[in-house]
Amino acid sequence: MHEFLQALLHPDIPVLRHAMLVGVLSSVAFGIVGTFVVTRRITFIAAAIAHCVLGGVGAALYLRARFGLTWLEPIYGALPAALMAALIIGIVSLRAREREDTVIGAVWAVGMALGLLLLAKTPGYNKDTMSYLFGDILLIARRDVWLVAGLDLVVVAVAVFFYNKLLAVCFDEEFARTRGLAVERYYLLLLCLIAVTIVLLVYLVGIVLVIALLTLPAAVAGQFSRRMAWIMGIAVLLCMVFSTAGIALSYPYDLPSGPTIIVTGAAVYLAVLAVKRLRRGLGQSVR
Amino acid sequence: MSADTRTPGTDASHGADRPAVCLQNVSFAYNGHPVLRNVNLDIPPGAFSCVIGPNGGGKSTLLKLILGLLTPAEGEVRVCGEPPANVRGRIGYTPQFAQYDPQFPVSVMDVALMGLAERHWGGRYTPEEKDAARRALDEMGIGELRRRPFSDLSGGQRQRVLIARALVSNPEILLLDEPAASVDLAAAKRLMHTLQDVAKRMTIIMVSHDPAFIFDMVSRVICVNQHAHIHPTSELTTARLRELYGEDVRLIRHDLSDQETDHAHA
C-alpha cells in the first residue's frame, strides 16, 4: 500500500492520479444509472450497448489511421455507437416487445463484430484490443478527466431533473401513460443515459466488464435500503470504494485494474449476502 | 343502449349536466378480433358503476378506451365532454394488480406521489404535493404506513396505495380495474366500504370479476360482453347474468355489514 501511495503522489506518474480521479468522478453516474438498470431489470440491454462500443472505437481508430484525423479520439466513435445501440434496442422493444431479446443479441454481436473488423483493417494499428475489452488505466489522460467530469455532470443533471418521471415510468409504465407522461420518450432517455454512462465505464473497466460495475454497487446497495434514492447514494459511494480499492490493489501486484475492480466489488457483494444470511440464520435460531 | 338510469340518493351530484363518460357507437378490435361492438354508454357525473362480464368480454378494453390508452376503431369516446387525451389530469386510474414489480425499491409515499409525477420537474416534491399524498393515503386508511417500503405491504394494503396514487391528483373520475382481485374477501369488503366514501365526491367506474358483494354499493352495473348494457343494480337478475356469462350463474346478494357471508357467483 505504501508503494501505491508513493506512486500516487509521484509527480512523474500522473496516470495513476488521473485513473483515480476518473474512477471517483464517474462513480456518481455509475451509481445513479446502475440503480435504474438493476431496478428496471435491463442489465442485458446495458450489456448489448457496451459491446457496441467496440464498433464505435474501431470506426474512430480506423478513420483516424486511414485519413490522418489525429483529433479523432476513440471516445468520439464510442459515444455515437453507444447512443445508436440504445436507440435501436429501445425503439424495437417499444414497437415489438416480443422481439426485444432478439434485437439485444443482434446489436450485441454485430457491434462487436464491426469493431473487430475495423480494428483488423486499421493501418498501423498495434495497440492491444484487450485494452478496450478489459480496460486499461494507462489509456486515461488528463483531458479524459475533464471529459468524464463533463459527461458525468450531464448524466447527473438529467437524472435529477427527470428523476420523478423516470421513477414513475420504471415502476408502472401503464399508469405513467394514463398521467400523460411520454413513456416512450422517457424510456429512450433512460437508455441514452445508460449509453453515456457505459462509455465512461469503458475507460475504467473495459467493454466486457462494464456490466459488473454498473450492477454490483446497486445490487450491494439494495441490501441496505429499499428506497431508490438511498440505493443510488449508497451505490455511488460503493462504486467509488470499488474503483479506488481496485486500482490500489492492482498496482503493487501488477494486476490489470479492470478485473481487480470487478473482483473487489463481487467479493463485497458476496460478503454482504453471507453476513445477511448468517444474521438471518442466527435470528431464527435465537427464536 | 343508451340510458341514464341514475338512481336518486346513491350518486354524488357534481352539478354538471353533461355525462362524465360518453361512448357513442364505439367498436374496438385486437388484431382483427372484435372485442367491443357498437357500444353506447352514458355515465352521469357522480355515478358509482361496476363493469362486469366474462373474461375476454372487453371490460379492461372499455376502461382503456375511456383512459385514452386505446383509440376506438369506430365511434367516439368523450370524458367530461372532451377526448380522453385532453382530460388525463382529471381521470384517476388503478390498474390490475400484477402490472408492477412488487420488489421495486420505493416507499408507500413515493408510490402515492407518482400520481403527480407528470406535473413535477426535479428531484423533490413540494410540501403541498406531499400533503396531497398524505391526505390520499389517510383517506385510504393507510396514512401510518407511508414510510414503509411498498414491498413490505400485504396485497390489500398495496391495492390501497395504488388507489391513493390515483386519488392524489383529486380526479373527477376514478377508474379501477379489478381492485379486489388479489385480496381476500374481508379485505375486499373493507376496500369497498372505503370506496363508498370516495364515491361521494367523484364518479367511479370499477371492473370486477366478482360482482356479487358490491351490488349493494353501486348504483348501476355495466354488463360487457362485446356489447355493453347499463342496468340499475335493482334490475339485475339471475336471468340477465346467465345471458351475459353464457353459463349457469346465480345471483347471490351479500350483506356487506356481515363479516362471514358466502360468496359464489358461478
Side-chain angles (χ1 to χ4, degrees), chain B:
Chain B
M1 181 179 141
S2 173
D4 183 357
T5 47
R6 197 165 180 178
T7 314
T10 50
D11 294 342
S13 173
H14 281 226
D17 291 336
R18 58 151 197 255
V21 174
C22 174
L23 276 75
Q24 285 183 322
N25 303 318
V26 167
S27 296
F28 185 83
Y30 280 113
N31 301 324
H33 298 288
V35 182
L36 292 174
R37 293 173 201 254
N38 200 27
V39 171
N40 288 289
L41 285 179
D42 255 357
I43 298 174
F48 189 174
S49 318
C50 177
V51 181
I52 63 167
N55 284 340
K59 301 190 295 289
S60 294
T61 303
L62 182 69
L63 281 200
K64 284 178 182 167
L65 284 164
I66 297 170
L67 280 162
L69 291 179
L70 298 173
T71 313
E74 286 170 37
E76 198 178 57
V77 180
R78 284 281 181 273
V79 179
C80 305
E82 295 192 49
N86 295 359
V87 290
R88 279 192 173 137
R90 290 150 77 180
I91 310 175
Y93 172 57
T94 304
Q96 274 187 41
F97 184 70
Q99 301 225 340
Y100 57 87
D101 175 6
Q103 294 304 315
F104 201 90
V106 277
S107 71
V108 167
M109 188 73 169
D110 291 334
V111 176
L113 282 164
M114 284 178 196
L116 297 170
E118 82 280 3
R119 298 182 191 172
H120 194 87
W121 299 98
R124 294 181 76 86
Y125 285 97
T126 63
E128 293 77 30
E129 289 166 331
K130 287 181 182 169
D131 277 346
R134 270 187 218 110
R135 278 196 304 275
L137 289 168
D138 284 340
E139 184 169 21
M140 292 313 293
I142 44 167
E144 75 284 2
L145 299 178
R146 66 177 183 274
R147 290 179 207 281
R148 292 265 296 275
F150 185 64
S151 53
D152 272 5
L153 306 191
S154 70
Q157 288 168 331
R158 279 184 199 162
Q159 204 55 22
R160 284 172 180 264
V161 178
L162 297 184
I163 297 172
R165 179 181 66 168
L167 289 175
V168 71
S169 59
N170 203 18
E172 290 171 37
I173 300 170
L174 178 63
L175 302 180
L176 303 156
D177 198 348
E178 306 223 3
S182 51
V183 299
D184 61 45
L185 186 62
K189 282 180 180 172
R190 287 196 297 272
L191 185 63
M192 289 310 143
H193 279 300
T194 311
L195 285 176
Q196 217 169 6
D197 288 336
V198 176
K200 288 174 187 155
R201 60 186 174 89
M202 64 183 71
T203 310
I204 298 186
I205 303 170
M206 174 169 68
V207 168
S208 176
H209 72 297
D210 184 0
F213 67 91
I214 52 167
F215 275 0
D216 294 337
M217 313 175 70
V218 301
S219 54
R220 68 208 62 224
V221 175
I222 304 167
C223 300
V224 180
N225 191 4
Q226 292 201 1
H227 299 279
H229 301 280
I230 293 191
H231 300 284
T233 319
S234 54
E235 289 175 16
L236 204 69
T237 58
T238 296
R240 277 221 168 105
L241 282 181
R242 273 190 193 146
E243 191 185 323
L244 173 67
Y245 284 92
E247 57 183 300
D248 190 20
V249 177
R250 260 178 302 154
L251 180 63
I252 303 168
R253 289 176 194 269
H254 297 274
D255 179 2
L256 270 161
S257 59
D258 186 3
Q259 288 297 307
E260 299 297 327
T261 47
D262 295 333
H263 94 119
H265 75 283

Side-chain angles (χ1 to χ4, degrees), chain A residues 134-212:
Chain A
F134 302 104
D136 184 354
I137 56 166
L138 297 175
L139 288 176
I140 299 172
R142 181 196 289 273
R143 65 163 179 271
D144 293 333
V145 177
W146 287 108
L147 189 68
V148 167
L151 288 177
D152 211 17
L153 207 67
V154 171
V155 170
V156 174
V158 172
V160 169
F161 189 65
F162 292 106
Y163 178 75
N164 290 316
K165 291 181 166 61
L166 289 172
L167 193 67
V169 169
C170 286
F171 179 70
D172 187 345
E173 244 174 58
E174 191 183 31
F175 178 80
R177 200 170 279 126
T178 67
R179 300 308 303 165
L181 286 176
V183 170
E184 285 78 11
R185 247 179 281 164
Y186 284 109
Y187 186 57
L188 292 178
L189 177 72
L190 180 61
L191 291 187
C192 288
L193 279 183
I194 294 170
V196 173
T197 308
I198 281 171
V199 173
L200 298 183
L201 271 164
V202 167
Y203 270 98
L204 211 59
V205 290
I207 288 163
V208 175
L209 304 178
V210 156
I211 285 312

